[in-house]
Amino acid sequence: MGKGKILVTGGTGYIGSHTVVELFNAGYEPIIIDNLSNSSISVLDGIKAITKVPVTYENIDCKDYNSLERFFEKHQDMKAIAHFAAYKSVGESVSKPISYYRNNIVSLLNLLQLMPNFGIKNIVFSSSCTVYGQPDELPVTEQSPIKPATSPYGSTKQMCETILNDAAIANPEMNSIILRYFNPIGAHSSAEIGELPNGIPNNLLPYITQTAAGIREKLRVFGDDYNTPDGSCIRDYINVVDLAKAHVVAIDRLIEEKNKKNIEVFNLGTGNGSSVLEILNGFESATGVKVPYEIVERRAGDIEKVWADTTFANQELGWKAEIPLEESLLSAWNWQKKLQ
Ligand code: WQD
C-alpha cells in the first residue's frame, strides 16, 4: 500500500476488479468508485478474499461531476487513475446509442476536467481492439489504421482516444496511456473474482461456461463460412490477469515518468489468434465438459479475424501475456462453478 493511492473507476467490473488485486499486490492502495450499473457489490468480498484487506469503495457515478469532485477533495493524494467505468456491450450500444455516448464520454470528460484541479497527472484508459475494425493486415499494430466504428460502443472508444490525444496536446503535464484490449477471458486462479455477465452473455466464453453449467441450452456459433481455416471467426483471447498486470506496468511507467511521450498507446493481446471452434474444443479438452452447440448465421457487426502484434508492448512496457489459453479456459470454468 506504500506506493500510493490509485483511483480505479469501474473497479467492481471484470477487468477493473482483477486490476485492483494486481495493484494491491504491487504495493499500491487501489480505491474503487463504481455505480454498480454492470457489476455487484459482492465483488468487494471476492477482492478481500484474495487481498485479505478491505478495499476502499464508494458508489459514485463518473457522470456525476459534483460527486466526483467531492471524492477528489476527499482523496487529494491519488497518484494515478485507471479508468474502466464504461458501458461495453456492442449489441446494446446499437439499441441505446445516446446512453452509451453520454455515459462513456461524459465520464471521461469529468475525470479530465477534475484531474488538473487536484494535481493528478496520470491516467490509464481502457480501450479496445474494436477501434481497428477489420484490419487490412494482420497482426494489427498500434499504427494500424483506425477504421470507422461498427457500433456506438466502438465509436465511444474512438472518441475517448481522440479526447485524450487532444487533452495531451493542450496539457503537456498530463500523462496518458491508452490500452487497447483484445478479447479478455478467464478469471483469477482463486475463483474469488471473475466475469459477471449481466443477463444473457454477449461474449463467447461466458456463454460457453453457462452452457457447460446447463444454464444455456447450447452455444450458437455465429457462422462457419468465414475465410478462416475452420470457417469460424478468429480473435486474440488474453487472460484477464495478464491484462490486469499490464495496467500495473502502465501505472508504474507513468508514476516513475518512464513514458517517452505524454500519450502512448499499447495493444494488449497474446499475438495468437484462436477461432470460435478452437475455443470451444479447447474448453472441452481443458475441462472434460462437452458443450452442445449449433452453427447458426453470422452475427451482424462481427469482424472475421483480428489478433495483436504485441511487439511494442513487449519491448516498451517489458510486459508479455504469459498465461496459457488452456489455463484461461479452465479458470473461467472454475469461476462458473463457484457461481452456482
Ligand atoms: C467473439 C467471437 C463471435 C458469442 C467484443 C467487443 C470488444 C470487447 C469484447 C468489451 C465472435 C463469437 C460469441 C456467442 C459466438 N468488449 N460468438 N457465439 O465481439 O470479439 O468483442 O467483446 O470490452 O470490445 O468488440 O467478442 O466474445 O462477443 O465474440 O459464436 O454466443 O465469438 O461471433 O466471432 P467480440 P465476443
Side-chain angles (χ1 to χ4, degrees):
M1 308 281 258
K3 289 172 70 175
K5 288 182 180 178
I6 306 294
L7 170 57
V8 182
T9 73
T12 57
Y14 177 37
I15 321 290
S17 56
H18 287 82
T19 302
V20 165
V21 167
E22 296 311 321
L23 283 168
F24 180 85
N25 292 343
Y28 287 106
E29 181 188 351
I31 300 180
I32 297 174
I33 61 173
D34 200 306
N35 67 355
L36 306 180
S37 61
N38 193 25
S39 60
S40 161
I41 193 82
S42 65
V43 170
L44 299 179
D45 297 330
I47 292 170
K48 185 178 174 187
I50 299 167
T51 62
K52 308 305 180 201
V53 294
V55 64
T56 306
Y57 160 75
E58 287 197 33
N59 188 323
I60 290 175
D61 184 333
C62 290
K63 295 195 293 299
D64 179 344
Y65 185 88
N66 294 331
S67 301
L68 207 50
E69 184 175 46
R70 281 194 297 276
F71 176 87
F72 274 57
E73 281 160 356
K74 198 192 304 184
H75 297 280
Q76 298 263 350
D77 49 352
M78 294 187 290
K79 295 266 196 308
I81 299 174
H83 180 41
F84 297 97
Y87 295 157
K88 64 163 194 170
S89 166
V90 172
E92 184 185 53
S93 77
V94 175
S95 56
K96 298 179 179 175
I98 308 308
S99 165
Y100 267 67
Y101 285 116
R102 176 181 296 283
N103 187 65
N104 293 5
I105 308 294
V106 171
S107 295
L108 177 64
L109 290 175
N110 283 346
L111 290 170
L112 295 179
Q113 198 161 340
L114 284 165
M115 283 171 68
N117 302 352
F118 292 90
I120 301 173
K121 299 188 301 178
N122 305 314
I123 183 167
V124 173
F125 177 70
S126 163
S127 190
S128 166
C129 65
T130 201
V131 302
Y132 297 117
Q134 176 57 66
D136 300 323
E137 291 179 19
L138 287 167
V140 67
T141 73
E142 289 82 356
Q143 287 69 45
S144 295
I146 302 300
K147 293 277 188 76
T150 55
S151 71
Y153 160 77
S155 235
T156 67
K157 289 301 179 185
Q158 291 180 355
M159 289 177 178
C160 285
E161 291 199 11
T162 300
I163 290 165
L164 284 163
N165 275 288
D166 289 345
I169 294 164
N171 314 310
E173 73 289 350
M174 199 183 93
N175 303 300
S176 300
I177 289 182
I178 294 169
L179 298 177
R180 291 177 181 157
Y181 308 161
F182 282 68
N183 286 60
I185 59 168
H188 191 268
S189 55
S190 64
E192 295 291 356
I193 53 176
E195 194 167 3
L196 279 172
N198 235 346
I200 301 173
N202 297 300
N203 294 137
L204 177 64
L205 194 51
Y207 204 103
I208 287 178
T209 59
Q210 287 192 10
T211 303
I215 298 167
R216 309 289 164 199
E217 182 201 347
K218 64 186 169 189
L219 171 72
R220 293 167 305 151
V221 174
F222 297 134
D224 69 345
D225 58 349
Y226 287 95
N227 179 25
T228 61
D230 64 18
S232 64
C233 293
I234 294 173
R235 296 289 186 275
D236 184 334
Y237 295 94
I238 178 172
N239 185 281
V240 65
V241 175
D242 277 333
L243 202 57
K245 288 178 176 173
H247 288 74
V248 178
V249 171
I251 282 170
D252 282 340
R253 181 180 177 88
L254 292 182
I255 291 174
E256 294 162 18
E257 299 183 352
K258 289 180 179 163
N259 50 318
K260 304 275 174 52
K261 297 186 292 183
N262 78 327
I263 186 159
E264 296 177 309
V265 183
F266 295 96
N267 283 341
L268 295 185
T270 67
N272 304 311
S274 302
S275 75
V276 175
L277 292 171
E278 284 172 333
I279 294 295
L280 182 59
N281 295 330
F283 179 85
E284 292 184 340
S285 306
T287 63
V289 179
K290 288 296 285 176
V291 176
Y293 73 96
E294 178 189 358
I295 306 289
V296 298
E297 68 283 355
R298 295 181 174 190
R299 179 173 69 175
D302 271 340
I303 59 159
E304 183 169 81
K305 49 195 171 193
V306 62
W307 60 91
D309 179 322
T310 60
T311 310
F312 187 51
N314 298 159
Q315 290 177 356
E316 196 56 42
L317 291 181
W319 166 90
K320 187 171 177 57
E322 295 170 338
I323 299 172
L325 179 61
E326 183 182 17
E327 192 176 320
S328 299
L329 299 172
L330 208 47
S331 67
W333 179 230
N334 290 336
W335 165 246
Q336 179 68 56
K337 288 187 289 185
K338 193 82 178 288
L339 289 175
Q340 308 309 81

